[in-house]
Amino acid sequence: MAQEQELDDQVALTAEKIRAGKTSLGIEFGSTRIKAVLIDDTYRTIAAGDYGWASHLEDGLWSYTQEEIWKGLQTAYAAMAQNVEAAYGEKLARVGHIGFSAMMHGYLAFDKNGELLVPFRTWQNTNTSEAHEKLSELFQYNIPERWSIAHLYQAVLNKEEHIGKVDYVTTLAGYVHWKLTGKKVLGIGDASGMFPIDPITHAYETEFIEKFSALPEVAAQPWKLTDLLPEPLVAGTPAGTLTAEGAKLLDPTGTLQPGIVLAPPEGDAGTGMVATNSVRVRTGNVSAGTSIFAMVVLEHKLKALHPEVDLVTTPAGDLAGMSHANNFTSDLNAWVGLFGQFAAALGTPVDTGSLYGTLFRAAIADGVDVNCGGLINYPFRSGEFLAGLSEGRPLFVRGPEARMSLGNFMRAQLFSAFSPVKIGMDVMTKDEGVAVDSLVGHGGIFTTPKVAQKILAAAFDTPIKVMSTAAEGGAWGMAVLADYLWHADQPLDEFLDARVFADAASTTENPDENDVAGFEEFFDRFRKGLAIEHTAIANIPLETK
């Protein structure tokens, strides 16, 4: 009876917070899911909703349509709002603060009338190698193929018909924020994936803008780069209010009222840092989803130009080194789905959680070879700069004497998923001597206890912490950044330590020397066998006819 009363009291208290606007909403556009998370002032998730989607090839480039963007946003929001009403009896008419985040980089170019000039070009595209090479050489600063400036410059080099009409370029998060507030701004972390940021001034690197603008093919354009880019804002800066049109766009029912203050829209790297409390210097995180990136907040700039390492910033504007791999779970999910279909065909369907848990645990079971028994997997659904691949072809290969077992197979799947990101991480820690005090794993793959955590510890040969918030995801991290608008009088790292993560539980997995040796052996085979991928790209069509 007392327990029921306590639950009723909690529901009543939460309902009062909802009515009073003591909530923050984070919505993140991931590669496979759009998720909306509503938190209260204790950073507890009180409602959530989501929408599944997937990129598609359009004229050979990975894209999502504008219709998908808005349908997904409205569906995820509606599901969250329905959960609020079902759980607390409240229609969601107000929210304290809102923040949007999304997969970083890519190219959304608009004309002076606000019309999209070409289909959204996502971070997955690797058609910008010429721009990457020329700009990296010009700046002596790595400009990855995914970055917005690489997409813009490649369009200039290609003399694309639309290029003279460009009036504004932004990211997916910046686009949604602009349409809901009218403000052409961007969180500094997301902005740092468009064009290099000066960590001292928190503005775009002036020297690089001048060098870019002086290029003859750029100087011939009718626009100036400074006029095309959104204004970068550090976390805690009010970034506009929800307009009447924006409220209707987010919630077509008309229940949500305008006037809500929004946080600067951020990228998924920034929300991953927040969700893992990794914004302090010498801390890092590994954010794992459809893509994967390992980030470390740097004490100083790197000594040399490394194409394998992106230099971005935290939401507070501090410099961070990032090893980003385009590919992570897509191939793994496909194989797990195949096992699920097999179970269903036997008449014993397995729920998703049990399916993943059973297969993942097989990878660390007794009798599994630490080096995967000679099995190799290449998880490349799309191109992968770190591996030198312009396109992707998922492959599973083995020698005739390789030891084929379920455990070895799943271990190879997980080892291969972490292999591309290891390339850039090794550059930071081994070549540049970057110091890491703590590294936190983040993302749904860490939901199954110990498995991915243990394998990542072997890959990086460093202890890996997983926090109780590991499965919350970037939408939760964005909601925390939205809440930070109330607490911006203290630095972001202190706010996270003192308020958000003060009582957070965590587990740490230390590297096992046998696992480390096994991973290194697998990784050596993985890199030597990459020639197979090049042959597959040359001989297997990208699209099924």
Side-chain angles (χ1 to χ4, degrees):
M1 192 72 177
Q3 203 170 25
E4 288 180 9
Q5 184 60 50
E6 185 178 341
L7 183 60
D8 289 344
D9 291 345
Q10 180 65 53
V11 169
L13 177 61
T14 302
E16 173 56 34
K17 289 180 179 181
I18 292 168
R19 288 192 296 272
K22 293 182 178 179
T23 57
S24 295
L25 173 62
I27 300 179
E28 181 156 286
F29 291 75
S31 302
T32 59
R33 186 171 63 151
I34 301 170
K35 187 172 183 181
V37 169
L38 188 70
I39 65 172
D40 65 11
D41 54 359
T42 66
Y43 311 101
R44 180 177 64 93
T45 297
I46 57 178
D50 63 8
Y51 175 82
W53 69 342
S55 58
H56 61 272
L57 283 169
E58 193 159 334
D59 297 326
L61 296 175
W62 295 104
S63 184
Y64 301 85
T65 66
Q66 286 177 287
E67 292 75 18
E68 289 175 302
I69 292 168
W70 297 112
K71 178 185 177 183
L73 173 63
Q74 292 169 357
T75 303
Y77 177 86
M80 180 276 301
Q82 287 165 8
N83 287 340
V84 168
E85 186 170 6
Y88 309 105
E90 296 290 330
K91 288 188 179 295
L92 197 60
R94 61 184 300 198
V95 174
H97 292 133
I98 300 176
F100 293 95
S101 57
M103 46 191 141
M104 293 176 68
H105 321 299
Y107 184 68
L108 280 156
F110 300 89
D111 66 16
K112 62 182 180 181
N113 297 316
E115 297 297 322
L116 190 64
L117 289 166
V118 292
F120 173 30
R121 297 173 182 178
T122 78
W123 57 270
Q124 292 172 293
N125 292 298
T126 54
N127 62 308
T128 57
S129 57
E130 182 183 3
H132 147 71
E133 292 172 1
K134 288 186 173 181
L135 292 179
S136 297
E137 178 63 27
L138 178 68
F139 300 155
Q140 283 300 292
Y141 188 102
N142 185 31
I143 303 297
E145 294 173 334
R146 304 180 310 281
W147 281 26
S148 305
I149 190 61
H151 283 277
L152 176 68
Y153 186 46
Q154 191 66 53
V156 171
L157 293 172
N158 293 346
K159 299 179 180 178
E160 294 191 33
E161 184 274 334
H162 79 276
I163 199 64
K165 303 173 186 175
V166 177
D167 185 71
Y168 182 47
V169 176
T170 190
T171 64
L172 179 54
Y175 166 57
V176 173
H177 183 96
W178 169 42
K179 290 300 180 183
L180 296 188
T181 66
K183 299 292 185 181
K184 294 181 176 180
V185 299
L186 203 58
I188 195 167
D190 205 5
S192 69
M194 293 192 74
F195 194 89
I197 290 284
D198 183 334
I200 304 299
T201 65
H202 293 161
Y204 298 113
E205 286 275 8
T206 304
E207 178 188 352
F208 296 168
I209 286 178
E210 291 173 352
K211 287 183 175 181
F212 180 81
S213 301
L215 291 169
E217 58 272 29
V218 173
Q221 300 302 322
W223 41 257
K224 299 295 183 186
L225 181 61
T226 49
D227 296 330
L228 302 188
L229 297 174
E231 177 189 1
L233 300 176
V234 296
T237 306
T241 58
L242 186 67
T243 63
E245 297 80 7
K248 195 73 172 177
L249 195 53
L250 180 57
D251 178 19
T253 70
T255 305
L256 185 67
Q257 299 302 298
I260 300 166
V261 177
L262 270 70
E266 262 300 347
D268 49 3
T271 59
M273 283 187 268
V274 170
T276 55
N277 194 18
S278 303
V279 301
R280 191 181 294 276
V281 169
R282 290 171 66 117
T283 65
N285 77 96
V286 179
S287 187
T290 304
S291 65
I292 180 172
F293 43 80
M295 302 192 66
V296 180
V297 185
L298 304 175
E299 296 176 274
H300 46 70
K301 292 183 177 181
L302 300 182
K303 296 187 290 288
L305 167 65
H306 298 283
E308 303 89 349
V309 179
D310 303 358
L311 293 173
V312 294
T313 76
T314 71
D318 295 316
L319 198 64
M322 174 167 68
S323 171
H324 180 286
N326 284 354
N327 298 270
F328 188 61
T329 58
S330 293
D331 189 44
L332 176 63
N333 291 341
W335 281 107
V336 172
L338 187 67
F339 282 110
Q341 292 173 36
F342 176 69
L346 288 176
T348 55
V350 182
D351 68 88
T352 302
S354 298
L355 184 63
Y356 274 89
T358 300
L359 291 171
F360 276 27
R361 286 188 291 272
I364 61 170
D366 293 341
V368 175
D369 293 300
V370 293
N371 64 359
C372 306
L375 309 184
I376 308 176
N377 191 70
Y378 291 105
F380 303 115
R381 180 174 182 262
S382 62
E384 188 61 75
F385 174 80
L386 286 170
L389 302 175
S390 59
E391 294 178 1
R393 300 293 187 277
L395 295 172
F396 174 73
V397 296
R398 60 191 174 108
E401 294 299 313
R403 291 176 292 281
M404 186 69 168
S405 69
L406 179 62
N408 281 346
F409 178 82
M410 288 308 302
R411 192 173 181 88
Q413 289 292 324
L414 290 164
F415 271 26
S416 72
F418 285 116
S419 287
V421 75
K422 176 177 167 64
I423 297 170
M425 192 64 175
D426 281 357
V427 169
M428 283 193 280
T429 58
K430 296 179 180 179
D431 298 349
E432 284 279 351
V434 169
V436 185
D437 291 338
S438 67
L439 200 59
V440 181
H442 172 58
I445 197 168
F446 297 105
T447 303
T448 301
K450 190 172 184 175
V451 181
Q453 192 177 356
K454 181 179 176 67
I455 286 173
L456 182 56
F460 289 170
D461 193 14
T462 193
I464 302 296
K465 180 192 293 186
V466 172
M467 306 177 75
S468 57
T469 56
E472 290 283 6
W476 181 83
M478 191 63 238
V480 171
L481 282 173
D483 176 271
Y484 180 56
L485 289 170
W486 279 307
H487 307 285
D489 56 327
Q490 63 183 141
L492 180 60
D493 55 358
E494 293 180 13
F495 159 75
L496 294 175
D497 282 343
R499 293 187 62 89
V500 183
F501 294 100
D503 301 315
S506 66
T507 61
T508 299
E509 192 71 31
N510 293 307
D512 175 275
E513 62 180 21
N514 291 325
D515 287 339
V516 172
F519 197 102
E520 290 296 339
E521 187 177 336
F522 174 90
F523 188 59
D524 183 59
R525 287 201 312 272
F526 181 93
R527 297 189 76 164
K528 288 178 178 176
L530 280 170
I532 307 167
E533 272 290 314
H534 292 281
T535 302
I537 291 169
N539 292 281
I540 300 175
L542 180 63
E543 299 183 68
T544 302
K545 300 299 183 183

